[in-house]
Every structure is written in C-alpha cells, then in structure tokens.
C-alpha cells in the first residue's frame, strides 16, 4: 500500500511534467446533475487534442500519407479519419427516449434513439465524397461493432441547416459536404462500449473512465455514447468521446430517496488517476433550495457546482449527496424545454396513414423552430396534405417549407426541412398523410411482422426574428439567449408494412402462369381452329 | 356425332389461319433477343490454354560471376574450369532458377565478383564482391570451397530452417508497420508515458526501409497504450535475492492479448506488422523470457511468425518515465529492425562470411538480390496457381458469371507474368514488379464479387420457375405448327398428284 | 325514353354523386386507382411542381406531364373542379359510346341510345373509379373518343386522341393497329358475314406517320413541361418495369412481389411481350369487323396490363352493349356474370381484411384477383366465340356448332 501511494505521488509529479511536453492533450470530465424528476444525469467527456494537426485534405488521398505517430490520440480512429479524409465526424449510439419534458436539454445534444452518424468532408481529389462516406461507415461499423454499414444511401441525406459543423472547416474557400444518416433500430450494448473504452488512453482501468461499469450503465433509464471529431483552427484536431446516462437513484434505493453516491450509481469508485490526463474533473450540480450534504469536501465549490479535481482529492473517491431531511421524493413535473414535441403515426391501415405532430411553445414569446424529417422510403409523404392547426383553426401560414427531396425507393430517403412559427403558449398541430409502399418479398427482413423503425424528427428551436419588443424585456432576452440552436429529437416511430406470404413464390408462379396460359391457349384455339356443325341427339352413336 | 356441311367462312381460310399462327411466331421471334438478354449469364471466355501453358514455367535468372585470380598462383583457366564444374554439379542453383556462368572477364556493375586471394581469413563481402582467401595448403579444394561459398551466398534459402521460413510474411507491395509502446499498467507505476518514436525511427529503421524500398512500400504508425494487461499470470522466479517474473515458450505464443490490446484496425487491406515494446507493470517487473527448463535467457525479444515482433523492456529504474528516448529506445528499435528484416525474409549471411561494412542498413547486395529473386519466384508461382484455380473453378461451375472485368484481370495477370519471365534475365527487380502485379491482379480476379451471383440458385429451380408458363403456352403453339406443316405437305402431295380445284378449306372428314 | 332527356339526367345524377363526400373514401382505394392513376398522387405531383420540385425526382408521382401542366396552369384542381371534370369525362365517354353505336348501326339516333349511355354511366366498374377520381376515367374517355372519331372517319382527331391516351397510359399502344385499320374500313357490323379485308392495307402508312408526329409532338411538349426526360421512366417505364408493387385487381403485382430477383427482368419482358402477341392475330381474324377486334383488345388489356383498375374491365363490359347481335351466341353468359359478381364481392372484402382489418393475408386478395382474372377471361373468351360463331348463323335443331 505504501508503495502504491509513493508511486502515485511519483506519477503525479512526473505525469504533469510529461504531459506538458506532449503535443497531445487528454482531458476528462464527469458532469453529474440531478434532474427535476429525481433522476440523475451523468455525462462523461473524454477529449483528446492533437495540437497543430489539420484534417487530411481529400486531394492528398492519392499520395503517400505522413506517418501517424500518436501518443494519446486513438490510432484506430486516427487511421479512419485520415484514410477517408474526414474533417468533422459525429457518431452517437443511444438507447431509450430522451424525455425533454422531464429532463430538459441534455448535455450532449445528440440523443436520437439508435445510431446517428454525420460527417463533414471536403470535396476534391480522385475519391468522391460518397465513396469515402461508404468507406467511413464500414470502417466505423467494424470499429464499434455496430451495424453502421446499413446506413447506406437509402438512409443518407444532407440536412445542412440542422447539422452545421461544430468546429471549423479548414481552407474556407474549399467546399465541404455533409452526410447524415440514422439507424433507429440500432441498440447500444456492451459490444459497442468495449471498443469505445479501448479508444481511451486509460481505458476503464484508471481515472474517471473507471466508473464506466457496463452492468450499471446499461441498466440506466437512458444511455448513449458518442464520438465527436472536429477541427479547431486555433488548436488542432479534437476527438471527444462522450458517454451520457440517466440513472434513477430512487428506483435503486430501498427507501425511495434521491440520495446517491458514485458507488451506488456505478458500483465503483475512483481508485487511481489516469497518469496521462491533463485534467480530470468531476463537476456536481448542487441541489437548489434544499438541504443537502456533499461528501467528501470538493476541491472548489460555488452556489451551483461542486468541483473535484481527481488528482488532488483523496482516493478512493466516492462522491455522494445526501438529503437528510427528505423522506420521500415526489415528482414535480413541468416542461423543462422551450418547446415540447410529440410525433405519432396514426391509422390502422397497412397502406396509408397520417403523421401527426403536436408542438407546444412553453414560453410567453413567439418562437420559431426548424423541423427536419429524414424519412426512408418506407413511408412516403403526401406533402400537399401538410396542414397546421391551432385549436382546430387552420394555420397553414405558420409552416414554411424550406426544402423537400422526395424519396426514391432503393435509392434515397426523403428529406423535409421546414420552419414552424409557434405563437406564445400555444400548441400547433401538424398533420400529413403518408402512404406505405409495398415491398417485394425478398426486401422484407426476417422478422417482417415487427415493422420498421423510422428515424426521429429533429427540431431546432430558435428565437423569432421580429425581436424589437424583446430587446426591452430583460427576461425575454434571457430566454432568447438561452434558445440556442440545440437539436431536439423526437422519439422514433414504428411502421408496419403489408407483408406478402413468404411461402408462396412457387405457388404464385404456378397459379398466375396457369391462368395466363389458360386464357392464352383458349384464345389461340378460338383463333386457329375451325367450326364444325355436328348433329347431336338420338341418331348419333 | 356427324359433321354437317356449313358455309365457307373467310376467317377460316387456310391463309388466315396460317397468318395468325405466323403472327404469333413473329412476335416470339422478335422478342427472342430480349429473352436472350434477360436470361443469359455473362460468361466471357478465359484464356485457358495460355493459363495452362504457363504451368511450371519458372523465372530464370542468369548470374555472371567474374573470377579474379590475379593475386593467386593458381592458373586462372583451370580454376574457372573447376568452379564451373562444381557449380554445374550443384543442384541448388538449378532449383532456384539460377544459371551461373563463371568467367574470368572483368566484372561489370551488375556482375558478381569473386576475388581469390591467398590467406586464411573468412570470406568478406563488399557490395557484389566477395573476397575469398584460400590457404596455400588447401589450394587443391579451393574451387570446391569457392563453389560452396557461392551457393550459400546466391541461394541462401535452401539452407533455411523451416521455423525461419514460416515466420516470413507473405509478400505484399505495401506493409503497415505499427509500433506500439505498451505499458502493462501505467497507473500502477513503472511506465513510459511517451516515446521519442520519430528520432528512433529515423535513426534505426529508415535506412533499412530505404534499402528494402525496391521490394516494399511501408506505412508507419505508432501509438502508446497505458493499460495492456496480460491474459495470463507470468510465473515468479527466485533469482538470487530478487523476485523476477518469467515467460515460458508456451506463454510467448499467447502473449498477445488481442481482446484487451487495441493494436490494429481494419482500415486498409495492407497487411500489418506489429512491433510492441512491452513495459511490465511494477507487479511483474522485471519480466524475463525463460527457456523450457525455466531458466532465464539473455534474450528479451521474440518474433511471432507472420505477425510481428515483441520486445520486453524492463526499465533500469522503476517508476514513471515521461518520455522514453536515447539509448534504451535505440536498443529497442535496433531489435525491431532485426525482427523486421527477419519477418520480411532478408536472408542472413552464412556464419563464416563477413560483410565488410554494415553501412547499407546491414543488408548486403548479395542478400538483397537473393531476396528479390526469391520474392519474384514466389509471386510468379502464386500468380500461376491463382490463375489455374480461377480457370478450374469456372470450368467446374457452369452458372458462374464471368464478367469482362474478370477476363481483363486474367489477361492482365498473364501479360504481367509474361513480362516477368522476359525481364527476369535482365533485371530481377523488374521481374519482381511484374510478378507482384500478376499476383495481385490474379487474386483480384479470383475474389471478384460478381462471380458469386448465382452460386446459390440451382438449375432445377430455374425449371420450376419457367415450366408453369412456358410448358403450357408452347404446347398449343407447337401442336398447331406441326399440324400446319403436315397439312401443307399433304396439300403439296395432292397438288403433285394432279390439278384439283383450289379449295381454301382443308379436306374434312365427312 | 328520349336520349335528349335521359342523358342529361344521368349526367346530372353522376354530378350529384361526384359532389358528395363519397369521393374521399374511394380516393385511395387500390381497386379504383393504381399508382399511375391515383388522384392523391396527382395532387402531390402538382403540389411539388408548383413548389419548384421536380415531381419526377421522387417515386410518388407517375402521371403524365400533360396532366401536370393542365392542372397546374389551366384548371386548378380542387374538390369542385374535380367533380365537374370527372363527370364531364364520364359524360364524354358515354356520349362517344353512343356515337360509336350510331355509327355502327349507321343511323342518326336509335332507341337504344339511352340504354347504351346508361350502361356506361351506371356500370359500377366505371363510375366507382370515376367517383374515386382515378385518372383512368380520362383514359377511358380518350379511348372511346378516339374510337368514335375513327368510326366517323376523322382520322387526325382520332389519332390525336389516341396519342393523348398513350401519353396517359402506355399499354394502350395495342390499339394503334386496329385503330388505323378501322380508319380505312367500316365500323358497321360485319360479324355475320366475314370477308377479306378489302381496302389496300398500305393506306395506313400516312396515317401511321401522322400518329408518329402527334406522339413526338406530345412527348416534346411533355419534355418541355418537365425540363428533362425523367418523366419517360417514371410514367411509361412504370408500365414496363413495375417499380411500385401496390396491389391492384390485375395479375402482375403479386407475381412480381413474389418473384425471385434474378428472374424479374425476364418475366417483365415476357408479360409485356405477351400483351403484344394478341394484336396481329385478333386483327387478322376479325379483319371484317375491326371495331370488334378493338373491343377484344380492350378486354385483353383489362386482364393483362400492368396497373389495371376496375375501370379497365368496366370499359370492356360497357362496350359489350355495342354488339347486341352476338348475344344469342354467347356460350356461358350466366357463368361469366356470376364470376364477376363473385369477384366484385371478394375483391373489396379481402382487400379490407388484409390491409385494414389485419385478419386476412395477402393470399386472400391474390386469390380474389385470380377469380377476377377468370371472370374477365371468361367474358373475353365468350366474346371471341360469339363473334366468330355468329358467322355460321342458326343451325337446325339437333345440330350443334363446335370447334374441332
């Protein structure tokens, strides 16, 4: 034990020395915050910065690439980024529906159910953006053991309004393209977490990452992992691996109280630091207007946050919040976001239906929201039936269609981008008729009766432009500055398509062909044979 | 039943009937090309005879050896004669496709030069020149000794042990070299947080890679890992006062913990060679390799055949090293260099032969030439095999589509192979280039995905799909055709018998 | 009753129905409108076109560009105009049918006029699709108009109508040859007295040339409307490649739903060529009465075309009223009628059970389409039989006419 403490101290001083010299930098952070419904949101963020690096230019794809010599940067990911000359990349794999009304905005905006991948890539060179996108999908599928390979052209769109680059794009004059695809039926599991952890310098063996215990993570009400690569002009290429989960301390606790601790939530404590982490921070959002105790004493603390610098506090570290006066927690729910969105697919018929959305503005000011649907051709819109209502009154003027790319079976999905105007404190009803196509029997999946998952719609609320009156009101101003382009994902939909009988191919061939041959043969006979008049009756035979 | 006569009807005339039948066949006839186009499987003819003609052909490399006997008392002509004689009797040259020609002419740049000198020292290699010293008392067997030395230098692979041969990786025009600094457990102390890989590569590896660039291109990548646990527990050894830890030969084969170590990704198809510097955790430090008797050996590195090399680095002092650099790193990379050349099949010099300078990255011209010749022969043989497999497979499976691209690839491979054969006498490097091209093109043809299209749809099913419609549709068509032909023949016979009144109707059975 | 009275009455009745809310329920019925004729898809195409999106870049819209330009510029398409338009198209069709009848009888009016118009306007197979605002009603009207004009020897107008029809529906090209022959022969009934084709067959060449010019003209106009050639693949191509497997009362959709991918192109060719194979034999056999050959070809189309709706057999059955002379010679009219009744009950029932109720499966509906195919086949075969048999005329008692 004494030895380990000594080596730890040694590692600490030497570690900081070493890290200072590197051209790579690794920071880890855990953000814990209580949610209004008693749950606990945890967000792990591990970012590695490759200082001074630039993304590969697509025109250099044909020539010998520079050697990739990395220390902290994950080599497996770096290879993929350079092989396909990807400038910015975002991959999220989530399970469950993020409940905006109860939980508010997530720390990581990408919370759409299933897999979502989007990338900005430069144009030029001999290899097209589309073929690099295909390669990128397959490479990431291999890296994360996810079926990202099926994010094919039938699911790929380019919704540039909603998915703006989060970093910078080098050489402002060169043109860049966005590719975006979602696969709502993909479920994140241990098999995806293991390769995710392998990309971390300290894996899940030391530092904050050691809290990533699959048993607890996958038991959470909501969980998702994300890989975000972006280029920052002033810094370099940054890879950020994020894991986000919503835990329910009330469910886990026998006494139905909200008290939590790291060991209760993750079933682990932080035993030792990651030697290469430049910073390693746990930030805990403190309960407001409540009596609570937080142990151990944090490194720094203000009204809203308690911060632990993992290297500085004693180990094993087990942060806990206790509310001694609370006996039973009761829910207090009011919408936590500026707008609330619900999307349903109505109609029992297997060949038509209606897509219905209700969008509620929870504020006293008029808001606008971008509305994005990337719909596979398994559901085809009748755009002429897109209508908006408020309290039963048609208000089509509130919908402004930005762009629409119709779907092409087996080729491309539909892309619908619109801007909706939401009057204060009202609910907008949006309806649109849809048709469901009929698939050949070879196109159905093995469990055809289950139906097909449809990707979430994305909403980006933003403040209305006519803001002359809002300038005067400081409260509204605060709201507006808060309404930043955060993407909100609706839950996914399940559509059931009519199925043929899968045992019928030969029967159908035989029966249809027989009918055709019968009519053909009889027509042929009628046209080529001759009439005879015969005597029938007693004389014959 | 009796038939009764009825009026002759215009639409029952033989002409009407025949034109109706003809119009059916006309449409079918016109549709035939479409039919053909939608049902035929594209099967391009492969150059089968050329593929089989290439069987057994080997690359021939003529070798010129210039014998320099000026410093020797032995008569030049006699010794040339004798060496020739011995070389001809030595089968190894022929096996490797070498036709060695020994002469006393002055050597040109590409010729091998043998300088015979009195003396007792071991042969010394310098460029394509070897200086052989012959003791005066052994002058009688000088020619034999010379021939043997030539054999070991020119065909070093025949004497290779199988274990050495097996670890050589299969040829690829490009390799990825992945260097990993692997700390068993950095958080528990005894670790290196980074390494000065750039300088070490430049100092130790670049000359070798440059030297081998006639054979391969290399992509270099490196990473540092901080947690690379072993999948097994090394055995503890008591060495004097200290506890050491040992890896048995059995442990070495399972040393790589591919479940926990993130060593490679499948981002490209180029084969990867891994080089791992393993720093054991303080718990397992120092870690030694032991022999089968459990005794520590002096070596701390080993090669995993076809995979790469591993070196176990026990730092002088325990604790965290911020950056591994300088001498320890140079030693590690020097070992990596030896492992790389062993993996790539660079032959070792015979033990009794010395190189004058190790300046050219430790690889003499003799070694490099032998390697190039061997790789060329290997690729040519492999391309031949692949081509034959394609031809056999296509002949075996009748429904296998053979597209234009497959045919083109096979032709390209044959052309490249031919070029390899024709350039071999003048330049073994060029022969290698062509042979390697032939091999890669041939295997691309072999793995062409278009050839698999119909592999799983048996012919019987086809009939089950076609029969219901076509059997029942063609039957009345053919029957009427036959009937018409018979009626027409009868008519002609009747006409031949004698002029009869023209009756457009067929005779009726009254 | 007088035709002057009954016809407007019938049309007015149809108009009242068309203005009723019934149309909403029938609009998306797979029996009444196919993806090529659906009103909703037409609306969608017009909407996209008006919003500057190429409607042919998607797969929803498969109507002719001519309809697109008509409704996006000349006539706005809404509930009221649609009711009037479809009623007008039905009225035009019925009126053309009456005019064909008159031309065939070579009279200026007859007592059967009202009956014939009623048989078209009240035929459920034609008026239901029309209430469902399927553009197949336009196809029927154009087809009858073209035949009527051909009977009246107005060659150019007739060929132009046919060219319009082919713009809407490619399989109708089958009618080209009989229509050309009709233009150079008589529409009057000669079924009972067959003869060899009298007119010089080469007279159709200039007519064919004229037709080609119309087709080129209309295609050019369509291309101008769209700005590219996408419409060819999306409208005409659909009849040949069956990209949309939406169920319909025909034989193609389930066959190609279940077909193995490898055989799909081959059977698509076979099914298309199969349609063509009937043209020449029927024209040769009925060279003495080409109008009858046209009628039979419409029967063939109603069974075998790629995207049939109920209005295709409806047209065929309504035209039966033009040939009352064949009625005594029909073999099995009762069987045919019962088969049709059976199919007409089964088709909507099984469609509902499969797609709405979820209690049936695709085979139910497929089986009823087979029954429907048999019913149409029976009607077609009986019509061919009767059209030939009439030439022999009455036979003595205890005698029977057979085909050897």
């Amino acid at each position: 034990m004494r030895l380990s403490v000594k080596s730890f101290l040694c590692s600490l001083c030497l570690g900081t020395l070493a890290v200072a010299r590197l051209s790579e930098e690794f920071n880890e952070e855990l953000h814990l915050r209580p949610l209004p419904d008693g749950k606990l949101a945890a967000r792990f963020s591990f970012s590695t910065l490759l200082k001074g690096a630039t993304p590969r230019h697509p025109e250099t794809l044909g020539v010998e690439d520079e050697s990739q010599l990395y220390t902290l940067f994950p080599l497996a990911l770096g290879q993929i980024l350079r092989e396909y000359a990807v400038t910015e990349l975002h991959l999220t794999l989530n399970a469950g529906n993020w409940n905006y009304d109860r939980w508010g905005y997530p720390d990581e905006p990408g919370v759409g159910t299933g897999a979502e991948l989007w990338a900005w890539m430069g144009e030029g060179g001999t290899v097209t953006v589309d073929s690099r996108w295909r390669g990128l999908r397959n490479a990431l599928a291999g890296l994360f053991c996810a079926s990202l390979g099926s994010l094919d052209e039938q699911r790929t769109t380019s919704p540039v309004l909603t998915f703006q680059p989060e970093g910078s794009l080098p050489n402002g004059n060169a043109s860049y393209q966005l590719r975006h695809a979602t696969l709502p039926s993909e479920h994140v599991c241990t098999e995806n977490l293991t390769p995710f952890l392998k990309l971390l310098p300290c894996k899940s063996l030391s530092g904050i990452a050691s809290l990533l215990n699959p048993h607890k993570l996958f038991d959470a009400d909501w969980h998702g992992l994300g890989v975000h690569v972006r280029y920052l002009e002033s810094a370099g290429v940054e890879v950020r691996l994020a894991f986000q989960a919503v835990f329910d301390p009330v469910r886990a606790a026998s006494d139905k109280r909200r008290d939590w601790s790291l060991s209760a939530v993750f079933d682990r404590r932080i035993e030792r630091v990651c030697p290469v982490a430049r910073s390693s921070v746990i930030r805990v959002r403190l309960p407001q207007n409540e009596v609570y105790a937080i142990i151990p004493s944090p490194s720094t603390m203000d009204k809203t946050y308690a911060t632990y610098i993992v290297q500085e506090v004693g180990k094993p570290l087990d942060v806990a919040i206790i509310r001694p006066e609370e006996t039973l927690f009761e829910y207090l729910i009011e919408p936590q976001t500026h707008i609330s969105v619900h999307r349903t697919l109505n109609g029992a018929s297997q060949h038509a239906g209606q897509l219905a959305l209700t969008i509620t503005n929870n504020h006293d000011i008029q808001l606008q929201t971008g509305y994005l649907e990337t719909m596979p051709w398994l559901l085809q819109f009748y755009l002429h039936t897109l209508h908006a209502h408020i309290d039963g009154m048609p208000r089509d003027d509130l919908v402004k269609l930005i762009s629409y790319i119709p779907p092409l079976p087996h080729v491309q999905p539909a892309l619908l981008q619109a801007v909706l105007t939401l009057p204060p404190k009202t609910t907008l009803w949006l309806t649109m008729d849809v048709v469901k196509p009929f698939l050949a029997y070879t196109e159905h999946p093995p469990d055809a009766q289950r139906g097909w998952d449809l990707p979430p719609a994305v909403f980006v609320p933003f403040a209305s432009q006519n803001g002359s009156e809002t300038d005067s009101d400081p409260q509204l101003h605060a709201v507006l500055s808060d309404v930043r382009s955060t993407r909100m994902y609706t839950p996914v939909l399940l559509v059931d398509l009519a199925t043929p009988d899968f045992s019928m191919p030969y029967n159908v061939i035989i029966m249809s062909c027989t009918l055709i041959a019968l009519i053909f043969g009889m027509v042929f006979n009628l046209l080529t044979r001759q009439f005879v008049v015969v005597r029938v009756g007693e004389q014959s035979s | 039943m009796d038939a009764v006569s009825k009026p002759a009807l215009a639409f029952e005339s033989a002409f009407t009937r025949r034109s109706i039948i003809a119009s059916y066949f006309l449409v079918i006839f016109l549709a035939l090309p479409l039919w053909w186009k939608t049902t035929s499987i594209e099967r391009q003819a492969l150059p089968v005879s050329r593929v089989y003609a290439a069987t057994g052909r080997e690359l021939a490399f003529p070798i010129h050896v210039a014998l320099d006997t000026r410093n020797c008392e032995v008569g030049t002509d006699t010794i040339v004669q004798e060496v020739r004689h011995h070389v001809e009797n030595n089968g190894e040259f022929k096996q490797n496709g070498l036709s060695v020609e020994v002469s006393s002419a002055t050597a040109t740049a590409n010729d091998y030069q043998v300088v015979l000198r009195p003396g007792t020292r071991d042969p010394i290699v310098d460029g394509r020149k070897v200086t052989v010293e012959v003791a005066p008392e052994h002058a009688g067997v000088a020619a034999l000794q010379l021939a043997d030395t030539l054999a070991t230098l020119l065909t070093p692979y025949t004497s290779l042990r199988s274990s050495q041969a097996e670890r050589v990786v299969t040829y690829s025009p490009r390799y990825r070299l992945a260097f990993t600094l692997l700390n068993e457990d950095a958080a528990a102390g005894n670790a290196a947080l980074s390494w000065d890989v750039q300088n070490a590569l430049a100092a130790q590896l670049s000359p070798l890679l440059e030297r081998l660039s006639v054979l391969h291109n290399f992509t270099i990548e490196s990473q540092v890992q901080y947690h690379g646990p072993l999948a097994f527990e090394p055995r503890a050894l008591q060495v004097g006062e200290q506890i050491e830890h040992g890896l048995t030969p059995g442990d070495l084969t399972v040393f790589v913990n591919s479940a926990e170590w993130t060593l490679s990704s499948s981002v490209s198809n180029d084969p990867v060679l891994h080089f791992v510097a393993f720093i054991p955790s303080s718990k397992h430090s120092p870690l030694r390799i032991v022999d089968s008797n459990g005794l520590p050996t002096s070596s701390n590195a080993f090669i995993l055949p076809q995979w790469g090399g591993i070196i176990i680095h026990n730092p002088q002092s325990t604790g965290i090293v911020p950056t591994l650099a300088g001498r320890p790193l140079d030693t590690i990379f020097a070992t990596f260099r030896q492992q790389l050349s062993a993996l790539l099949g660079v032959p070792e010099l015979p033990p009794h032969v010395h190189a004058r300078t190790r300046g050219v990255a430790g690889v003499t011209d003799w070694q490099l030439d032998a390697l190039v010749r061997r790789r060329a022969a290997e690729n040519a043989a492999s391309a031949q095999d692949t081509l034959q497999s394609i031809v056999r497979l296509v002949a075996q499976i009748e429904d296998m589509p053979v597209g234009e691209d497959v045919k083109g690839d096979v032709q390209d491979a044959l052309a490249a192979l031919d070029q390899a054969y024709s350039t071999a006498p003048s330049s073994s490097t060029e022969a290698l280039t062509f042979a390697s091209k032939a091999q890669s093109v041939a295997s691309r043809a072999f793995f062409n995905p278009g050839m698999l299209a119909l592999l799983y749809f048996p012919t019987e099913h086809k009939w089950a799909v076609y029969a219901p419609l076509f059997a029942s549709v063609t039957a009345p068509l053919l029957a009427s055709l036959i009937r018409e032909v018979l009626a027409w023949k009868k008519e002609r016979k009747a006409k031949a018998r004698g002029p009869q009144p023209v009756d457009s109707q067929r005779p009726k059975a009254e | 009753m007088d035709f002057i009275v009954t016809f407007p009455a019938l049309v007015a009745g149809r108009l009242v129905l068309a203005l009723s809310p019934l149309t909403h329920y029938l609009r998306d019925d797979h029996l009444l409108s196919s993806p090529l004729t659906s009103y909703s898809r037409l609306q969608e195409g017009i909407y996209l076109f008006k919003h500057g999106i190429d409607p042919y870049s998607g797969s929803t819209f498969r109507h002719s560009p001519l309809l697109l330009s008509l409704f996006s510029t000349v006539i706005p398409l809404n509930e009221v105009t649609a009711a009037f338009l479809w009623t007008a198209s039905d009225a035009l069709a019925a009126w053309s049918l009456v005019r064909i009848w008159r031309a065939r009888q070579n009279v200026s009016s007859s007592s059967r006029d009202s009956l014939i118009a009623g048989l078209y306007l009240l035929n459920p197979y034609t008026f239901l699709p029309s209430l469902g605002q399927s553009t197949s009603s336009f196809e029927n009207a154009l087809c009858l108009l073209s035949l009527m004009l051909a009977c009246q020897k107005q060659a150019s107008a007739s060929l132009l109508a046919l060219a319009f029809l082919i713009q809407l529906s490619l399989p109708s090209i089958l009618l080209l040859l009989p229509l050309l022959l009709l233009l150079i022969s008589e529409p009057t009934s000669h079924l009972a007295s067959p003869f060899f084709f009298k007119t010089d067959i080469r007279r159709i060449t200039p007519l064919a040339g004229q037709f080609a010019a119309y087709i080129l003209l209309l295609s050019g106009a369509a291309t101008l409307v769209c700005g590219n050639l996408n419409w060819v693949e999306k409208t005409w191509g659909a009849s040949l490649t069956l990209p949309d497997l939406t169920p319909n009362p025909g034989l193609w959709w389930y066959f190609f739903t279940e077909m193995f991918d490898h055989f799909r192109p081959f059977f698509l060719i076979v099914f298309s060529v199969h349609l063509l194979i009937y043209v020449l034999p029927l024209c040769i056999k009925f060279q003495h009465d080409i109008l009858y050959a046209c009628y039979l070809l419409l029967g063939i189309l109603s069974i075998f075309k790629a995207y049939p709706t109920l209005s295709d057999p409806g047209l065929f059955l309504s035209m039966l009223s033009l040939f009352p002379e064949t009625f005594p010679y029909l073999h099995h009219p009762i069987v045919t009628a019962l088969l049709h009744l059976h199919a007409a009950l089964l088709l909507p029932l099984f469609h509902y059970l499969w797609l709405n109720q979820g209690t049936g499966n695709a085979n139910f509906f497929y089986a009823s389409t087979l029954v429907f195919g048999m019913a149409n086949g029976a009607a077609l075969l009986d019509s061919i039989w009767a059209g030939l048999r009439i030439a022999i005329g009455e036979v003595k008692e205890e005698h029977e006419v057979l085909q050897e």
Side-chain angles (χ1 to χ4, degrees), chain A residues 480-536:
Chain A
L480 287 185
S481 61
D482 197 20
V483 181
R484 217 160 293 287
S485 310
T486 334
R487 294 190 301 276
M488 293 178 69
Y489 293 79
T490 66
V492 296
L493 293 173
L494 194 68
V495 59
D496 65 326
L497 301 183
T499 50
D501 189 321
F502 294 102
S503 60
M504 287 287 279
Y506 288 107
N507 301 2
V508 170
I509 290 169
I510 289 170
M511 290 197 277
S512 292
C513 288
T514 307
L515 181 65
I516 293 167
L518 191 76
I519 295 174
F520 175 88
M522 289 175 77
V523 169
F524 181 78
N525 280 344
L526 280 169
L527 295 184
T528 54
R529 297 205 172 183
Q530 289 182 334
F531 283 109
V532 284
V533 183
V534 293
R535 178 174 300 154
V536 291

Side-chain angles (χ1 to χ4, degrees), chain B residues 88-403:
Chain B
E88 265 163 37
N89 286 347
N90 192 332
E92 282 176 18
F93 292 112
K94 275 226 178 64
Q95 271 170 32
N96 288 285
L98 306 184
S99 50
V100 180
E101 195 183 302
V102 185
S103 69
S104 54
T106 27
T108 58
N110 282 328
D111 288 352
Y112 295 96
Q113 196 186 359
V114 180
V115 180
L116 211 54
R117 258 202 332 223
T120 51
R121 281 180 299 175
D122 281 342
I124 291 170
V125 171
D126 179 19
R128 286 203 170 79
K129 186 170 93 178
V130 61
T131 313
V132 181
E133 299 196 351
V134 182
E137 61 268 32
H138 293 136
V141 289
L144 184 60
Q145 196 188 335
L146 204 57
D148 278 348
T149 308
L150 275 178
T152 50
L153 279 172
L154 289 171
T155 65
Y157 293 100
T158 38
S159 60
L160 219 57
R161 278 175 286 122
S162 67
S163 66
Q164 281 171 311
E166 271 167 17
R167 69 190 184 192
V168 175
V169 290
T170 44
Y171 180 82
S172 160
R174 175 177 286 276
Y175 292 104
R176 273 167 52 205
L177 307 181
F179 296 91
T180 307
L181 172 62
L182 188 73
N183 297 292
E184 191 187 351
D185 190 354
N190 212 27
L193 297 186
S194 66
W195 57 351
D196 187 11
V197 65
Q198 202 117 31
N199 285 331
L201 280 172
Q204 294 293 333
L205 245 85
S206 296
L208 176 65
L209 300 185
E210 184 66 26
R211 185 86 170 121
L212 293 178
S213 61
V214 289
L215 287 131
H216 313 282
N217 289 319
F218 298 95
T219 309
I220 293 175
E221 53 205 30
S222 84
Q223 60 174 340
V224 182
Q225 298 231 351
Y226 301 96
H227 293 279
L230 293 174
F232 57 91
E233 190 61 32
R235 68 163 72 174
L237 305 169
Q238 184 79 38
V239 179
E241 295 287 291
Q242 262 185 318
I243 299 275
E244 293 197 345
H245 302 267
L247 298 168
T248 61
D251 290 340
L252 297 184
T253 56
V254 295
F255 188 79
V256 176
N257 185 357
S258 31
E260 302 279 343
W261 304 357
T262 323
L263 291 180
S264 64
S265 76
S266 50
V267 73
S268 77
N269 290 328
D270 304 323
V272 188
L273 295 178
H274 295 279
F275 297 94
V276 177
F278 184 85
I279 302 183
S281 66
S282 48
K283 203 174 83 181
H284 292 147
S285 200
L287 191 63
R288 310 255 181 245
I289 296 174
V290 298
D291 60 17
S292 43
N293 300 323
L295 297 172
T297 57
S298 59
S299 157
N300 64 344
F302 59 98
I303 287 179
L304 289 176
Q306 312 257 354
W307 187 86
I310 292 173
I311 177 163
I312 291 160
H313 177 67
N314 293 303
Q316 298 290 328
S317 56
T318 53
I320 301 256
V321 183
T323 303
L324 194 59
R327 259 197 79 80
L329 195 64
D330 276 348
T331 328
I332 291 173
F333 272 79
T335 315
F336 283 162
R337 188 191 61 217
Q338 288 163 15
Q339 288 174 332
L340 177 64
S341 54
L343 285 164
L344 292 178
V346 178
E348 283 163 28
L349 280 181
H352 63 278
V353 178
H354 302 287
R356 164 148 302 166
T357 54
R358 304 202 66 99
V360 267
V363 181
T364 62
D365 284 345
W366 295 81
Q367 289 167 289
L368 192 66
D369 289 350
L371 181 60
V372 168
R373 284 195 298 267
R374 177 185 149 92
R375 287 299 199 181
E378 219 175 69
N379 273 313
S382 153
Q384 269 179 22
D385 280 355
T386 314
L387 287 174
Q388 280 174 36
S389 306
I390 296 173
V391 167
R392 265 201 306 273
L393 200 67
V394 168
Q396 217 165 33
I397 303 172
E398 282 170 12
D399 279 343
M400 178 178 272
V402 182

Side-chain angles (χ1 to χ4, degrees), chain C residues 14-70:
Chain C
R14 268 286 287 103
L15 184 61
V16 170
L17 275 177
L19 287 166
S20 75
L22 201 62
T23 52
H24 282 282
Y25 301 100
L26 298 177
R27 211 169 259 167
D28 292 317
D29 195 296
H30 292 151
L31 298 174
L32 307 182
S33 53
S34 70
L36 274 61
T37 64
S38 147
Y39 179 77
S40 301
R41 290 175 189 250
L42 178 61
Q43 282 280 30
E44 178 73 4
I46 294 165
Y47 181 88
L48 295 180
F49 188 68
K50 281 184 175 167
H51 284 76
I53 302 159
D54 182 4
Y56 295 103
S57 63
S59 64
T60 322
F61 185 66
R62 297 188 181 279
H63 290 266
S64 159
L66 298 181
L67 288 180
L68 192 68
S69 58
L70 175 71

Side-chain angles (χ1 to χ4, degrees), chain C residues 265-343:
Chain C
F266 171 66
F267 274 99
L268 283 169
I269 292 286
V270 169
F271 274 45
S272 298
V273 168
H274 171 243
L275 273 173
L276 288 175
I277 212 167
Y278 292 100
V279 177
L280 268 178
L282 282 173
C283 287
I284 295 171
K285 193 74 174 180
F286 289 95
Q287 50 186 287
H288 53 284
D289 198 336
I290 288 296
L291 188 61
Y292 204 72
C294 291
Y295 160 70
L296 294 175
L297 277 173
L298 287 172
I300 299 276
L301 273 181
S302 73
I303 308 173
F304 295 123
K305 77 188 239 185
Y307 287 103
T309 59
L310 286 187
S311 62
D312 293 293
L315 175 64
F316 173 67
L317 295 178
S318 292
M319 276 183 79
L320 185 59
S321 62
L322 295 176
F323 312 101
E325 64 270 27
T326 61
F327 294 171
Y329 301 100
L330 289 174
H331 234 348
H332 43 68
I334 305 294
V335 177
T336 310
L338 287 177
L339 270 173
H340 261 296
L341 188 65
H342 189 45

